[in-house]
Amino acid sequence: ERALASADKTVQREAIRGLLDLAHARRDRVAEAFHSKALAALEPRDATVQLEHGDAMFALDLIDSAAEAYALAETLAATDPVRRVEAIARRGRALEKRDRLAAEAEYRRAMAQLPRDHYLRIELFGRLVELHRSGGTLGALLAISLDEWPVASRGVFEWYELAKLYRSVGDQPHAIAALEQVVKRSSEPRLHLELVDAYPQARAVEALAILDKLAARNDAGVLASVAERYAKGGYTARALATYDKLLRLDPAAVDRMLDLVEDSFRTGKQAAAIALTKSVVPKLRTAEAHGRLGQILLEWGHFKGSVTELDRAIALASPVASDAWGTMRVTKAPQVASQPATLAAYYRTR
C-alpha cells in the first residue's frame, strides 16, 4: 500500500507489476484486469502495457475495452513494426467474437504489413481460414485468394494455402496441381511427401519418382517416411533398400521396420510382411526386438518363426519374450501341434 501511494512513479509501477504477477499466478482474471488498468493509466504511452491491458480485457470478454487498448497500442507502436502488427492481429482476434468481417479486415491489414513468408502472416491466414470455415464460406475465401494472388506473384506460401483451400472444398485435382507448384519451389521433404500422398493410383509413377529422389537423401526421418510409403505401395525391394540405408544412419530405426512388418500382416500383405521379416531379423540386436517380432509372428500364425524369435529373446533374458512364450504354450498348443512333426516334437520338449 505504501508503494502504491508513493510519489515515485517507478515504485508504483513495480508495486502494480507485483500485484499483476500475483493475480496471474492465482488465475484471478478480475484482479488482473483491475491492476492492468491501473498500470495502463500509469504508463499511457507504453505500447507493451496497452497490449497487456487489452489481453486482460479480452480474457473477461470486454471486447470494446480490449479493442480500444489494442488500437492505442498500435498507435503507440508506430516506430515498432512487429509490435504494431501484433496489436492489429490481437484486435482482430478480439473482434472475432462480435464481427467476423471486421476481424477479417484487421487480419488482412496486419498481413499486408508483413513479409511474404513471415510466420505471423502464415498464422493470420490460418485464422482467416478458420473464420471462413466456421461461416461455411471457404469457397469465397478461395475465390478472393485466387484474385488477390496473381499466378505470376505466387510463392510457396500462396500455392500451399491454395492447395489446402482446394482440398477443403473438395477439388482434389486443383489441390494436386497447386501442390505441384509448391514442390517446384521448395525442397522441403514434408511438402514433397504430401504431394506423394495426394496423388491417386493413376499417378503412381509420378509419386514413385518423387520417392526415389527423396530416398537419395541422408536424413533418417525422411528415409523412414519414404520406406513406409514404398512398402505401402508394394515396392518391397525399394522399401528394404531404404531401410538398410536408414539403419546405417540410425540403428534404433529397427522399431520402424517392426511397425511395418506388423502393419503389413494387418493389411493382408503377406508377401511383403515375410520379405520384411527376413530382412529385419539379421538387424535385431536386443531381446526386446526379438521378443516383439516373435509376438508379431505368433499373432499372425507364423509359429515356427515365432518360436525361433522367442528363443532368441529368451536367450537374451527378455521378460516380454518369456511372457509371450507362456502365452504361446497356453493358447497356441493346438495350432503348434498341427504344424509339421518336427515342430510339434520341438514344442513338446519345451
Side-chain angles (χ1 to χ4, degrees), residues 278-337:
K278 290 179 179 178
S279 178
V280 76
V281 166
K283 301 173 178 65
L284 302 182
R285 297 288 183 268
T286 67
E288 288 73 21
H290 283 291
R292 185 182 172 199
L293 180 57
Q295 288 178 302
I296 292 171
L297 294 172
L298 173 63
E299 181 179 356
W300 295 99
H302 294 268
F303 304 114
K304 186 173 182 178
S306 178
V307 167
T308 300
E309 291 309 306
L310 293 174
D311 275 348
R312 288 169 176 161
I314 291 169
L316 293 171
S318 166
V320 173
S322 297
D323 290 345
W325 177 252
T327 299
M328 183 172 179
R329 286 178 63 87
V330 173
T331 65
K332 300 297 183 181
Q335 293 95 319
V336 173

Side-chain angles (χ1 to χ4, degrees), residues 159-212:
W159 280 113
Y160 189 57
E161 294 302 330
L162 287 174
K164 291 190 291 184
L165 285 171
Y166 277 127
R167 189 162 52 226
S168 294
V169 299
D171 188 345
Q172 190 64 4
H174 277 97
I176 290 173
L179 277 175
E180 288 175 329
Q181 294 299 321
V182 170
V183 302
K184 286 180 180 179
R185 293 164 171 78
S186 172
S187 60
E188 172 61 44
R190 173 183 59 85
L191 299 174
H192 289 245
L193 290 169
E194 190 169 333
L195 178 57
V196 168
D197 294 338
Y199 274 138
Q201 184 58 38
R203 302 186 68 179
V205 172
E206 292 163 274
L208 183 60
I210 294 174
L211 290 176
D212 287 345

